[in-house]
Amino acid sequence: MVREKVAVSTRTLKWKCVESRTDSKRLSYGRFILSPLMKGQADTIAIAMRRALLSEIEGTCITRVTFQNASHEYSIIAGIQESVHDILMNLKEIVLKSNLYGTCDASLYIKGPRYVTAQDIILPPHVEIVDSTQHIASLTEPINLCIGLKIERNRGYLIKAHPPFQNETYSLDAVFMPVLNVNHSIYSYGNEKKEILFLEIWTNGSLTPKEALHEAAQNLMDLFIPFLQMEEENLNLEDAEHQIPFSPFTFYDKVSKLIKKKKRSLKSIFIDQLAFPPKIYNCLTKSNIFTLLDLLNKSQEDLLKIEHFHIEDVKQILGILEKNFALDLPKKKGSPFFF
């Protein structure tokens, strides 16, 4: 467990992690502060961050399970101690983490007698299990247990959209929320004119509270990007005949205009919006490159120093920047991107 003394800033708005601990593989805790805030601002930020943490962050779950020789959900399969329903509930408890886009398949092929745990699941390379000791079933006889799994990355809740049982396939209610709980408290000081926001976050281990906080803030910024894209025009909103409706636009069309206008806007464009392949995205984020501005302040030489990065990856990044923004990266270090 890590604890730090709380130091209150009286000048620039700053945030800090003051406590961080891992209670188990499936439970992490973090406590953060943001200060100094004017009266009322802490509540505004806390409410928005809590909603973003609980509903805007994506998670990975098992959503469908296919059994062999199971007539219904409450079937008992000879040689297996648990019923089909019990196995489904155990599979639902498995916590996954991934950079998956959409859905993928996994499987479980085990011959008894033995205990079956989450580590026995055969997963695609971009998915991993947070707690591999999660119990699934107990095989008491030398039989084969064959299960097919459908894994999905999404956010919020997924209620069974299909019939609960169809052709030996069961749909599961899925909870994609990696953040288990969020709590906040506010401390007033300076004759109650200023505030400190304390934010507590619990996660299921698929990401740390600090990562959850960063992703929630990023998702909030994504929601506000359209407001940053509004043209500075003098619209006569009182005369309906002269109102100018906002026409549909694509993300990259508007962002290209933002780049020409304001450098600060680049901080609001995150690299997960740029359609990079999972490998490139993972390498960039591990190197603390989260926004388009972070990327543009790197040279091609800098990118090649990133672990597991190759010239083909750099060429792919250059192609996306050229196609969407008409931008390039300097070849040598020491020539960062400037306006």
Side-chain angles (χ1 to χ4, degrees), residues 29 39 44 46 127 129 136 166 191-192 213 227 247 250-251 266 277 279 282 296 301 325 337:
Y29 171 81
K39 187 173 179 62
T44 301
V127 180
I129 295 171
I136 297 176
Q166 186 178 20
N191 295 326
E192 298 190 352
L213 187 63
F227 295 104
S247 59
T250 63
F251 171 78
L266 295 176
K279 177 203 170 184
N282 290 337
L296 292 175
E301 185 180 63
F325 308 109
F337 175 84

Side-chain angles (χ1 to χ4, degrees), residues 21 42 52 75-76 117 120 198 200 236 249 257 274 276 279:
R21 68 171 186 262
S75 298
I76 300 295
T117 62
D120 297 312
F198 290 83
E200 295 179 287
N236 185 0
F249 56 85
K257 294 181 180 179
L274 306 182
F276 288 140
K279 177 203 170 184

Side-chain angles (χ1 to χ4, degrees), residues 99 271 279-290 306-308:
N99 290 313
I271 61 171
K279 177 203 170 184
I280 292 179
Y281 174 80
N282 290 337
C283 290
L284 291 176
T285 54
K286 287 180 180 178
S287 300
N288 295 319
I289 300 174
F290 299 106
I306 296 176
E307 188 176 5
H308 305 306

Side-chain angles (χ1 to χ4, degrees), residues 98-336:
S98 75
N99 290 313
L100 177 69
Y101 293 92
T103 62
C104 67
D105 296 318
S107 58
L108 182 63
Y109 297 100
I110 295 295
K111 184 174 183 180
R114 59 168 293 179
Y115 289 103
V116 183
T117 62
Q119 69 178 352
D120 297 312
I121 298 176
I122 302 172
L123 294 168
H126 47 274
V127 180
E128 60 181 280
I129 295 171
V130 172
D131 183 6
S132 60
T133 64
Q134 168 65 39
H135 177 72
I136 297 176
S138 301
L139 307 186
T140 58
E141 298 180 12
I143 64 167
N144 293 323
L145 176 62
C146 301
I147 300 177
L149 305 173
K150 182 72 71 175
I151 296 174
E152 182 177 345
R153 181 177 173 87
N154 210 322
R155 63 180 185 177
Y157 296 95
L158 177 66
I159 307 300
K160 297 175 184 177
H162 303 280
F165 174 72
Q166 186 178 20
N167 299 327
E168 299 184 337
T169 298
Y170 301 83
S171 296
L172 297 180
D173 292 333
V175 181
F176 294 102
M177 300 159 53
V179 176
L180 303 176
N181 192 23
V182 180
N183 186 32
H184 78 273
S185 57
I186 300 170
Y187 172 74
S188 299
Y189 68 100
N191 295 326
E192 298 190 352
K193 292 183 179 180
K194 293 187 178 181
E195 297 176 335
I196 304 174
L197 172 62
F198 290 83
L199 198 63
E200 295 179 287
I201 303 172
W202 290 262
T203 67
N204 66 0
S206 61
L207 77 173
T208 66
K210 186 180 291 186
E211 291 171 335
L213 187 63
H214 180 272
E215 188 169 340
Q218 172 181 317
N219 291 339
L220 279 177
M221 290 300 301
D222 292 346
L223 293 175
F224 287 109
I225 281 180
F227 295 104
L228 298 175
Q229 295 171 332
M230 291 191 298
E231 301 289 346
E232 297 179 359
E233 298 177 355
N234 294 322
L235 303 180
N236 185 0
L237 300 179
E238 296 179 357
D239 187 355
E241 294 182 359
H242 298 286
Q243 288 185 9
I244 303 175
F246 287 100
S247 59
F249 56 85
T250 63
F251 171 78
Y252 290 115
D253 288 341
K254 286 294 182 179
V255 168
S256 62
K257 294 181 180 179
L258 281 174
I259 293 174
K260 296 176 182 178
K261 286 185 175 182
K262 297 178 182 179
K263 182 177 180 180
R264 63 180 177 83
S265 298
L266 295 176
K267 297 180 181 179
S268 303
I269 304 168
F270 294 86
I271 61 171
D272 63 354
Q273 297 171 285
L274 306 182
F276 288 140
K279 177 203 170 184
I280 292 179
Y281 174 80
N282 290 337
C283 290
L284 291 176
T285 54
K286 287 180 180 178
S287 300
N288 295 319
I289 300 174
F290 299 106
T291 68
L292 183 56
L293 182 60
D294 295 336
L295 180 57
L296 292 175
N297 278 319
K298 298 292 182 181
S299 67
Q300 298 178 35
E301 185 180 63
D302 293 331
L303 295 182
L304 287 173
K305 293 180 180 180
I306 296 176
E307 188 176 5
H308 305 306
F309 233 61
H310 303 290
I311 186 65
E312 292 78 11
D313 301 316
V314 175
K315 289 180 179 178
Q316 197 163 357
I317 290 175
L318 295 176
I320 291 175
L321 292 177
E322 172 63 28
K323 177 182 177 181
N324 297 310
F325 308 109
L327 294 173
D328 197 2
L329 296 179
K331 292 184 178 181
K332 296 293 184 180
K333 186 176 180 180
S335 303

